[in-house]
Amino acid sequence: MTTRRTRLGMIGTAIAALIAPLTVAVLATPAEAAVDRRAHHLETYRLEKTIELEGGEEAWTYLGCRAGDIAVDGMWRVDNVDDPNPQLGMFGDERDVLALASYGDTDARYWLFRFLNGADGRAQLKIFVVCLEGQTVTQWGHSHNLVLDPRQSGTLSDVGVGAMDYGWVDRCGTDQILVAPGFSINDGTARSYGSWPEPNYRGWHWGFVSHHATTDINLYARCLDVKTGSTLGHRHNILSYFPHGSAGSFLNLPVTDRTERQLTCDTHYWGAVGAWWVSDPHHVWHLGSDPRPVTRAHSFWNDGGGGHGSYLTLRCLGKRTSHGFS
């Protein structure tokens, strides 16, 4: 875990030189001036939208951050499905609403979603995107751009029927932060039961329950440089950590059709990229999560027929950068 250091005041002043025989003060050149070590603030915000799907309906939708900003995570939450009425031939519940796509666009400000309501009743959902401003807050007369790589992608073809998991290893460099992990399910349907950082935090791991032998799954992610862009001859580091590390926070879920688990970052950090995993995807459903400023609140359904385990972790980004360095 990277800890936040205390703020320092400005250090270094112009140095006067005496040139004989005249007493003349000469200021240091910019190259000789001390690096401004004062930290900058980073800002995040979220956007959200309510959507409704009729029984059997499939639909695309999206959310977009402000121009120049970065969609670092997108999430959905299934809130309700109209009560089933077997006498009228209406079946299904929140577990039948599938998120078939949730991923960042090639334009880093947009997040795309696709849902299929497999229930007969109308479904109500919320979708969210977490946005990171594309540069630090302007302070001390300047700001720093954040440096983001192009989107990476890969495809899993004909994954078969049943539970499967797949990991991307070492997708980002040792001086980068993986953000915007996402997926898109095609040529079949599947349900996500896990989205989790690799142990070295440079890759990502996904879990799906596929319903068709021909299902293809596209995976996506981006890498954000730890170091900001250079301004006035100096940079800053973005601070980040995962609560509980790569092992996560474990809890056996109660047997209920909805329970909420939360994970919160330390005071001086934003909650940026959420992660979850369930031990038994045949009996526990992840209904989505609500990305609050420093907390991620996940919703689960546990039918009690198997394992009850759930794991959570959260990529937390510092609200302030490190001190400056050349």
Side-chain angles (χ1 to χ4, degrees):
M1 166 178 172
T2 305
T3 55
R4 169 182 169 272
R5 292 178 248 168
T6 57
R7 175 179 175 183
L8 298 177
M10 180 189 297
I11 64 173
T13 58
I15 301 174
L18 298 177
I19 302 177
L22 299 176
T23 305
V24 180
V26 179
L27 297 179
T29 66
E32 297 169 335
V35 170
D36 188 340
R37 287 174 47 80
R38 293 173 294 186
H40 287 259
H41 286 87
L42 292 174
E43 293 291 342
T44 67
Y45 58 95
R46 80 169 189 178
L47 302 174
E48 61 182 81
K49 181 167 64 176
T50 300
I51 63 173
E52 291 192 350
L53 297 174
E54 297 296 330
E57 182 180 359
E58 182 176 341
W60 282 92
T61 188
Y62 73 95
L63 288 169
C65 304
R66 295 189 292 261
D69 293 346
I70 304 165
V72 294
D73 197 15
M75 184 46 61
W76 67 93
R77 187 187 65 213
V78 182
D79 287 335
N80 185 65
V81 170
D82 290 349
D83 291 338
N85 189 336
Q87 292 181 335
L88 298 179
M90 293 182 61
F91 300 91
D93 52 43
E94 288 83 353
R95 294 172 293 179
D96 297 303
V97 180
L98 298 179
L100 296 179
S102 175
Y103 64 96
D105 191 20
T106 51
D107 183 337
R109 64 181 289 207
Y110 292 107
W111 198 272
L112 308 176
F113 300 88
R114 180 165 59 101
F115 298 100
L116 171 63
N117 180 11
D120 293 320
R122 180 186 298 110
Q124 293 84 39
L125 302 87
K126 273 281 187 75
I127 57 172
F128 308 91
V129 65
V130 178
C131 302
L132 174 64
E133 293 189 355
Q135 60 182 22
T136 65
V137 174
T138 299
Q139 295 167 288
W140 334 121
H142 69 282
S143 63
H144 295 263
N145 290 329
L146 305 189
V147 181
L148 185 71
D149 281 357
R151 187 186 72 178
Q152 299 186 38
S153 63
T155 300
L156 307 177
S157 299
D158 298 334
V159 299
V161 176
M164 54 82 65
D165 61 276
Y166 180 79
W168 270 4
V169 180
D170 296 342
R171 284 287 171 159
C172 296
T174 56
D175 57 351
Q176 293 183 309
I177 297 168
L178 190 146
V179 297
F183 63 89
S184 178
I185 298 166
N186 306 289
D187 295 330
T189 61
R191 170 171 56 86
S192 170
Y193 71 84
S195 180
W196 198 260
E198 288 288 333
N200 65 3
Y201 308 120
R202 295 169 56 193
W204 207 256
H205 208 90
W206 289 268
F208 300 94
V209 177
S210 171
H211 306 132
H212 301 87
T214 58
T215 299
D216 295 338
I217 303 175
N218 296 327
L219 303 175
Y220 305 95
R222 293 182 181 274
C223 299
L224 175 68
D225 284 5
V226 169
K227 294 180 175 64
T228 67
S230 179
T231 302
L232 301 179
H234 71 280
R235 303 171 184 267
H236 298 264
N237 281 337
I238 298 171
L239 307 180
S240 73
Y241 80 104
F242 282 94
H244 308 285
S246 62
S249 170
F250 175 81
L251 181 71
N252 280 314
L253 299 169
V255 178
T256 177
D257 59 6
R258 184 173 295 270
T259 189
E260 183 177 274
R261 281 199 67 194
Q262 297 185 9
L263 197 63
T264 299
C265 298
D266 289 344
T267 302
H268 300 293
Y269 288 79
W270 300 113
V273 182
W276 74 93
W277 203 270
V278 299
S279 300
D280 187 347
H282 301 291
H283 295 282
V284 175
W285 286 256
H286 182 253
L287 300 179
S289 69
D290 179 355
R292 300 164 191 171
V294 298
T295 298
R296 192 60 59 96
H298 294 261
S299 296
F300 297 93
W301 180 311
N302 179 13
D303 71 7
H308 311 301
S310 65
Y311 297 84
L312 299 182
T313 193
L314 176 61
R315 169 72 82 174
C316 301
L317 295 182
K319 295 180 180 180
R320 295 174 64 187
T321 67
S322 73
H323 297 302
F325 56 90
S326 57

